[in-house]
Amino acid sequence: MAIDGVSVTVGTTATLLIPTLFTNQINYNQRGMSLLIQNTSSVTVYIGGSDVTSSLYGYALATNQSLAVDLYADEQIYAAVASGTQTIRVLRQGV
């Protein structure tokens, strides 16, 4: 089981947090994965579905906070910020 980490640049529109790198390395369609999302930016990052915005979100991830998420096969998770762009870290472990 591999563990991989990447930086993801998040903007004001929904940004997919599961890079192709992750989905190509394991059989994601059948097994899913666990993610640890770390907000290393200086602003709140909003986590949710493909329609996530700073006013429509499932979770507000504050500066220097982390969020653990288990994704099942073919599930996707997105992030957005209120303005500009910010970089966050995503650690993936195949499940």
Side-chain angles (χ1 to χ4, degrees):
M1 185 174 346
I3 296 176
D4 297 303
V6 295
S7 292
V8 178
T9 301
V10 176
T12 57
T13 59
T15 302
L16 183 62
L17 295 183
I18 307 170
T20 303
L21 167 71
F22 290 173
T23 59
N24 286 343
Q25 289 184 353
I26 62 168
N27 193 347
Y28 170 60
N29 292 330
Q30 294 178 1
R31 296 173 50 197
M33 67 179 76
S34 294
L35 299 179
L36 181 62
I37 304 163
Q38 181 184 25
N39 183 2
T40 56
S41 77
S42 59
V43 301
T44 299
V45 174
Y46 301 94
I47 308 295
S50 61
D51 59 349
V52 66
T53 65
S54 60
S55 59
L56 174 67
Y57 58 90
Y59 190 82
L61 188 60
T63 300
N64 295 320
Q65 298 297 307
S66 298
L67 173 67
V69 179
D70 290 329
L71 297 180
Y72 293 97
D74 295 325
E75 287 184 321
Q76 298 178 335
I77 189 166
Y78 295 80
V81 292
S83 64
T85 60
Q86 298 292 325
T87 300
I88 63 173
R89 298 287 303 164
V90 180
L91 183 72
R92 188 268 315 172
Q93 178 181 0
V95 294

